[in-house]
Amino acid sequence: MLRGRLLAATAAGALVAAGPPPAATAPLPAPTSRWAPAPGDGAWADVRAFGAKGDGVADDTPAFRAAAATGRSLFVPRPPVAYVLTGCVELRSSAYGDGSLPTIRMRGADGDPDQGQAHTIFVIHGYEGPGLVVSGLRLDGGWDGRGTRGEWSHCVRVTSSRRVTIERCVLERPYGDCVFVGHYAGTTPSFAPSDVVIRDNVLSGPRRCCVAVVSGTNVTVRDNRIVKRSDYVAAIDLEPDPLGYQHVDGVVIAGNAFDVAPIAFGGGAVSLDDPLGNEGAPRSGNVAITGNRGRWAPAARYLRLAGSDGLVGVVPHLAWAKVTASGNVRLP
């Protein structure tokens, strides 16, 4: 049932250079339908054609990087065991599984800050095209549930990009976040991400967060299953860094199913925190949390947002503007 819910994919196509193009190939819309690009469809890069083995032993990082460097959409077929990465892959276009929820597993991550983004599975930076989609993949960050060395390895990192959708995936066990959204000065380009959609996924077992947004506008987190056992930070965390320029504006968190262990210090499963030191940034706000259900420990009373049934905690550092909650139901 889970696989059927996850693997329905949206259409994707791209222009093909030189000569009459073949018919564009798109993943089949029916759940669990196996598919593959049509022969000769130059819109797709099959990772096997670049040497990926998927045997759970060989390092497939060079193959994935070479396929991604073509700028074509990645096609990831079912591996014999799992694809293994030892470093990040920067996506320039979409990445789709073949209908079997193929596994891509990170090896060697321990969340150490010196690793930076090196052990993030997919990095999306500076994308401003018509739309980049990550769909139908199982991304396994490899956290063992015990290590506390760091929190800097993610399943998907979205920085300074527009029009990114992450859907119908299983994103699990990162040392950091299943999905990280933000931007930092000093990178090229450097701007707050916008129009980011995270929907219909299973986001499970991170050390830090299922979704973390440190900066971004028009971010939607909808209809996901969100599972978190660590008490560190929150399941969904909207939290600019105290840098004086990051802010979060226009976030919808709706229709998600939560299964979240109690968060340390009475924090909310969904946490909003604009810290002291960020006074120079525009005020964060315009956040709607609606129609979520599941199990969570209510946030401490002094943090708790009215209408959220204890789901949301707002940390009283810098004030947030226009934060609303309705229709959220905590199950016994």
Side-chain angles (χ1 to χ4, degrees), residues 12 62 90 136 182 191:
E90 185 166 348
F191 59 85

Side-chain angles (χ1 to χ4, degrees), residues 256-285:
N256 300 286
F258 285 84
D259 183 0
V260 180
I263 300 299
F265 309 112
V270 176
S271 178
L272 282 63
D273 182 4
D274 198 352
L276 298 175
N278 200 41
E279 288 88 347
R283 291 280 55 79
S284 291

Side-chain angles (χ1 to χ4, degrees), residues 88-165:
C88 65
V89 174
E90 185 166 348
L91 296 181
R92 303 180 184 182
S93 189
S94 298
Y96 281 84
D98 70 343
S100 69
L101 207 66
T103 296
I104 303 171
R105 182 178 299 147
M106 181 56 67
R107 177 194 292 158
D110 62 11
D112 188 309
D114 291 339
Q115 293 180 339
Q117 68 180 29
H119 284 81
T120 290
I121 295 176
F122 285 149
V123 172
I124 302 166
H125 178 72
Y127 178 83
E128 298 185 71
L132 186 156
V133 179
V134 178
S135 181
L137 298 168
R138 180 184 294 271
L139 305 184
D140 181 353
W143 183 50
D144 62 6
R146 298 184 299 274
T148 59
R149 187 171 182 182
E151 55 190 82
W152 286 268
S153 303
H154 313 299
C155 290
V156 182
R157 175 185 170 100
V158 181
T159 53
S160 299
S161 296
R162 299 184 173 99
R163 293 174 292 278
V164 173
T165 298

Side-chain angles (χ1 to χ4, degrees), residues 49-282:
F50 294 83
K53 293 183 170 56
D55 60 7
V57 178
D59 184 357
D60 293 315
T61 310
F64 271 76
R65 287 177 174 173
T70 66
R72 292 178 278 162
S73 293
L74 293 192
F75 172 66
V76 184
R78 183 176 182 175
V81 180
Y83 298 102
V84 173
L85 301 182
T86 58
C88 65
V89 174
E90 185 166 348
L91 296 181
R92 303 180 184 182
S93 189
S94 298
Y96 281 84
D98 70 343
S100 69
L101 207 66
T103 296
I104 303 171
R105 182 178 299 147
M106 181 56 67
R107 177 194 292 158
D110 62 11
D112 188 309
D114 291 339
Q115 293 180 339
Q117 68 180 29
H119 284 81
T120 290
I121 295 176
F122 285 149
V123 172
I124 302 166
H125 178 72
Y127 178 83
E128 298 185 71
L132 186 156
V133 179
V134 178
S135 181
L137 298 168
R138 180 184 294 271
L139 305 184
D140 181 353
W143 183 50
D144 62 6
R146 298 184 299 274
T148 59
R149 187 171 182 182
E151 55 190 82
W152 286 268
S153 303
H154 313 299
C155 290
V156 182
R157 175 185 170 100
V158 181
T159 53
S160 299
S161 296
R162 299 184 173 99
R163 293 174 292 278
V164 173
T165 298
I166 301 163
E167 63 181 11
R168 304 180 179 99
C169 292
V170 173
L171 308 179
E172 60 187 1
R173 302 199 309 149
Y175 282 80
D177 311 309
C178 296
V179 181
F180 173 92
V181 180
H183 86 292
Y184 292 95
T187 65
T188 303
S190 178
F191 59 85
S194 63
D195 302 311
V196 177
V197 178
I198 304 162
R199 65 186 176 200
D200 296 318
N201 303 285
V202 174
L203 309 171
S204 177
R207 180 178 178 230
R208 189 167 70 177
C209 306
C210 295
V211 178
V213 183
V214 302
S215 61
T217 62
N218 298 329
V219 177
T220 300
V221 183
R222 182 182 293 277
D223 297 332
N224 302 282
R225 176 164 170 74
I226 294 173
V227 181
K228 180 172 166 63
R229 295 286 174 259
S230 165
D231 68 355
Y232 188 48
V233 187
I236 298 178
D237 186 38
L238 311 183
E239 184 176 1
D241 294 310
L243 301 174
Y245 61 87
Q246 293 178 343
H247 75 287
V248 176
D249 185 80
V251 176
V252 173
I253 300 170
N256 300 286
F258 285 84
D259 183 0
V260 180
I263 300 299
F265 309 112
V270 176
S271 178
L272 282 63
D273 182 4
D274 198 352
L276 298 175
N278 200 41
E279 288 88 347

